[in-house]
Amino acid sequence: MSDVLELVDVSVVREGRALVEQVSWSVKEGERWVILGPNGAGKTTLLNVASSYLFPSAGSARVLGEQLGRVDVFDLRPRIGIAGIALADKLPRSQTVLQTVLTAAYGMTASWREDYDEIDEQRARAFLDRLGMNAYLDRKFGTLSEGERKRTLIARAMMTDPELLLLDEPAAGLDLGGREDLVRRLGRLARDPFAPSMIMVTHHVEEIPPGFTHVLMIRQGKVLTAGPLDLELTSSNLSHCFGLPLVVEHNGNDRWTAQGLPLK
Ligand SMILES: Nc1ncnc2c1ncn2[C@@H]1O[C@H](COP(=O)(O)OP(=O)(O)OP(=O)(O)O)[C@@H](O)[C@H]1O
Ligand SMILES: [Mg+2]
């Protein structure tokens, strides 16, 4: 299996401080990774490196077989789909849902051309349908609820037919029904052998979709553990990661839960 991502001793330093420090991590084709860690641990920073928007201060990063620094990022970026909070703020609020997804085909945040190919429109409609958004095609992006916006962003990220899909807290802000719906849809995607490799950042093990295979835990910029979920998502590792005693359970539906230990 070839490497989708290979970081060797990657550090990102800003204002004299390492946001991520000597991270070595490799993601192989077909793996679906979840990144867990407290606020400020460096999760989004790692995704920014993986998406080629951030260049490491030290170490080497290969993304989809290309060495950052030796590849034209404008060739690489269309091969990577990103859905994150930062992107939602950059998209025009007055654009319709369909336009918001369509503009991804051209790597733009704004809709500036009217002559989208029929085939692109069909693809945009199909992705929106897959995410349960077909009733919202003509709604303005700015009027969507948090959950509807999240689903639109994932459809948008799929539009370039990426080889790597990066999701930064896709379920944050969703109500219980919205979360369960999204986890189910991501689970379906995770088990689709033709779907891209996936890396998802989350704060909650309850949001790990069935079909995800690996976990990276990070704390204060450093990797605590990285490997198969079944081996590494343990009470001991998670407690260490979040700095308090936690009990992790894996239930029969391939879902996870974590709880703090009751006070004695
Ligand atoms: N450009 C920057 N300059 C200085 N510090 C930064 C910069 N960008 C991020 N940081 C800091 O780096 C640390 C890691 O940030 P990052 O966004 O990667 O954390 P995170 O794990 O995604 O956190 P959260 O769970 O809150 O989203 C934080 O302490 C943040 O304040
Ligand atoms: Mg973050």
Side-chain angles (χ1 to χ4, degrees), residues 248-262:
V248 179
E249 283 176 22
H250 189 194
N251 72 30
N253 301 324
D254 197 14
R255 296 287 301 276
W256 299 82
T257 57
Q259 288 180 7
L261 283 177

Side-chain angles (χ1 to χ4, degrees), residues 26-27 42 76 82 90 92 121 154 164 191 206 210 226 228 230:
S26 96
V27 173
L76 184 58
I82 320 163
K90 292 199 193 97
E121 186 166 329
I154 296 171
L164 173 61
R191 282 178 300 214
E206 288 76 5
D230 284 337

Side-chain angles (χ1 to χ4, degrees), residues 163-182:
E163 292 157 68
L164 173 61
L165 181 61
L166 305 172
L167 305 168
D168 198 353
E169 298 184 38
L174 302 194
D175 70 18
L176 185 55
R179 180 190 86 182
E180 287 304 299
D181 181 65
L182 186 68

